[in-house]
Amino acid sequence: MSIIEEPKIAEIPKVVEISGRTRVLGILAHPTEHVKAPPGINRIAMMRGKDAVMVPLNVAPADLDGFVASLRVLKSFDGAIVTVPHKQSIIRLCDEVSPQALAVGAANVVRREADGRLVGDQLDGIGFVEGLRGQGIEVRGRSVYLVGAGGAANAVAFALAEAGITKLTLANRTVDKIETLAAKLRTAYPAIDVAIGSVDPRGHDLVVNGTTLGMNVTDPLPLDASLLEPNMIVAEVIMEPEITPLLQAARDVGCRIHLGRHMLDHQLQLMANFLGL
C-alpha cells in the first residue's frame, strides 16, 4: 500500500480568509461559468492588503431589476464587474454613469457608494486598446473592421475612435443597431470614415470580433473567415475559449491573432481602482 505524504505548509496555496469585515465584490453575469475576472481581482486585493473578495453573481435577465435593488441595502457590498448579458440593462438601474458609459450605452463596472447609490462606468474599450498596445500593436492610423453592436462592441468602437483610427467599418446581423452606433460615432468623431459593412472583412488592418459568437461550439463564425488576409491582425473580446473558431481560422490563414484575455489583463487594474481596492 502506498503512503500519501501530507503537503508541506509552503506548498499549500494561500486561501483568502473571510471575516465579518470582508468587503464583497461580484461579477454580474448569466451564466457565470466563463468569467475570468475573479481570480485576478482577488490577487490584486491580496497584493494591496485589502480585506475583500470577488464572487460570481449568476442573475438571469428577468431577475436583474430586483437583484440590483437589493444591492443598495447590502452594506458589505462595494461593487461589481458587469458582463454579458447585463452591460446595457445595468445603465438604467444606476444612479449615475460616466460620460463614456453614456456614450457607449453600456457599463461594465458598478460601484456602490456608502449611501447605497450605484455608479456605473465603462472600461471595456480602454482595456481593449491598452491590451493591443501591451502586445506592441498601435491602432493610430489603422483601418478597422468591427463585428457587433452590443455593449463590448460599442465600447471598443469608441475607444478605437478616441485612439486615432482613420477608418471603422461596422458589421452586425441587426443593421439598425450598427446604424445607431455609426451615427453616434460620426457625431463624436467626424474625421473618421465610419462605414456600414457586411461579412466581408477585406481591406482592413485590424479585424475585431466584438460579439459573443465563438463562446459556444455551435456558434456560427461572426464573419466570412475565408476572406481573411495574411496581413491582417484578428482580435477577440471573448476570453473563453482562448482560441475561438475565428482565431483558429485566422491563424490558419497566417494572420496575427490577438487574444481576448489581453483586454481583461489591462482592465483589472482599472476595475480594481474603480471598485476601491
Side-chain angles (χ1 to χ4, degrees):
M1 183 174 67
S2 62
I3 299 174
I4 300 175
E5 294 183 0
E6 291 288 334
K8 297 176 182 178
I9 300 245
E11 296 173 346
I12 300 174
K14 185 174 180 180
V15 177
V16 176
E17 295 287 345
I18 305 296
S19 72
R21 294 185 177 86
T22 300
R23 306 303 301 172
V24 178
L25 303 168
I27 180 158
L28 183 58
H30 180 68
T32 55
E33 286 78 9
H34 66 284
V35 300
K36 298 293 185 183
I41 291 292
N42 289 332
R43 281 193 293 270
I44 291 172
M46 284 194 292
M47 289 174 61
R48 296 183 180 182
K50 299 291 187 177
D51 186 3
V53 63
M54 175 168 281
V55 297
L57 303 173
N58 189 346
V59 179
D63 301 319
L64 184 65
D65 289 34
F67 178 77
V68 170
S70 72
L71 296 178
R72 298 179 183 278
V73 296
L74 183 57
K75 296 186 182 300
S76 58
F77 177 76
D78 282 346
I81 293 171
V82 183
T83 187
V84 178
H86 302 309
K87 292 182 182 183
Q88 291 166 308
S89 299
I90 199 71
I91 287 280
R92 61 181 173 77
L93 302 176
C94 291
D95 300 292
E96 178 185 339
V97 292
S98 69
Q100 177 74 2
L102 278 177
V104 170
N108 76 327
V109 64
V110 173
R111 181 178 65 240
R112 181 188 181 276
E113 306 288 11
D115 61 0
R117 295 174 66 256
L118 300 177
V119 179
D121 203 351
Q122 174 53 253
L123 302 174
D124 272 336
I126 298 169
F128 181 78
V129 171
E130 289 304 313
L132 287 168
R133 287 174 174 155
Q135 296 299 304
I137 302 169
E138 179 53 60
V139 300
R140 181 171 295 278
R142 300 261 192 179
S143 172
V144 182
Y145 172 94
L146 171 65
V147 190
N154 272 257
V156 167
F158 273 88
L160 288 169
E162 184 65 25
I165 63 171
T166 56
K167 180 178 180 179
L168 179 62
T169 298
L170 302 169
N172 191 60
R173 289 173 296 180
T174 308
V175 177
D176 61 335
K177 288 185 178 180
I178 51 172
E179 287 178 340
T180 299
L181 174 57
K184 290 193 295 183
L185 288 165
R186 288 173 184 137
T187 299
Y189 300 94
I192 297 175
D193 178 8
V194 179
I196 305 296
S198 65
V199 294
D200 183 355
R202 287 177 296 184
H204 298 84
D205 306 313
L206 174 63
V207 174
V208 183
N209 177 30
T211 76
T212 59
L213 293 176
M215 289 178 62
N216 302 306
V217 294
T218 57
D219 288 343
L221 288 171
L223 53 87
D224 188 344
S226 69
L227 300 177
L228 292 172
E229 300 166 333
N231 61 324
M232 293 174 170
I233 300 167
V234 179
E236 274 282 9
V237 299
I238 292 172
M239 298 166 205
E240 180 65 36
E242 183 169 88
I243 301 297
T244 62
L246 175 63
L247 291 184
Q248 185 58 57
R251 179 185 277 173
D252 292 343
V253 171
C255 302
R256 177 176 179 178
I257 65 171
H258 182 78
L259 306 179
R261 66 175 170 81
H262 297 307
M263 177 174 74
L264 178 63
D265 291 343
H266 286 264
Q267 279 191 96
L268 287 177
Q269 297 290 337
L270 297 171
M271 289 173 164
N273 294 342
F274 182 82
L275 294 172
L277 290 180

